[in-house]
Amino acid sequence: METGTVPLARIEGYDGSVVQDLVNIVDNTSTGFAVTVTGAAFGDFVLVSADSYLLSSATILHGRIFATNQIAIILSQNGAAYDPPSTTFYYKVIKRA
């Protein structure tokens, strides 16, 4: 078996982006939003990234299947309150084999 890297663009799935201007995140809380991704289903993998700096290690960005055809993009804040800038979030849903 050969090991190495596979460009994310070659991994089959559903991908896209969305711009969001989130509200202030209070210390030790989370905020998020839903995105419609036709074909997304429970058990699929969700990858999420952002185009702007989201504070530091105090902010955790993650995604999950929220419902059939819907993902949730979630920011959790574990430090002082934070008002994130308007940000483009990128997502990729990878079908479970």
Side-chain angles (χ1 to χ4, degrees):
M1 174 192 279
E2 183 179 327
T3 61
T5 60
V6 176
L8 188 57
R10 289 184 38 204
I11 297 174
E12 211 170 300
Y14 311 103
D15 57 344
S17 63
V18 61
V19 176
Q20 283 287 320
D21 189 6
L22 299 172
V23 298
N24 189 46
I25 307 172
V26 180
D27 184 23
N28 294 320
T29 62
S30 298
T31 190
F33 56 95
V35 178
T36 298
V37 181
T38 302
F42 290 105
D44 293 346
F45 300 94
V46 180
L47 303 175
V48 181
S49 66
D51 74 347
S52 66
Y53 180 68
L54 294 173
L55 197 54
S56 65
S57 60
T59 304
I60 301 167
L61 173 64
H62 63 281
R64 66 178 184 88
I65 301 296
F66 178 67
T68 301
N69 298 322
Q70 294 238 316
I71 65 169
I73 296 177
I74 304 161
L75 276 82
S76 299
Q77 182 62 22
N78 296 316
Y82 176 56
D83 186 9
S86 179
T87 302
T88 301
F89 294 91
Y90 302 91
Y91 58 85
K92 185 159 193 113
V93 176
I94 302 170
K95 298 301 290 177
R96 183 178 59 173

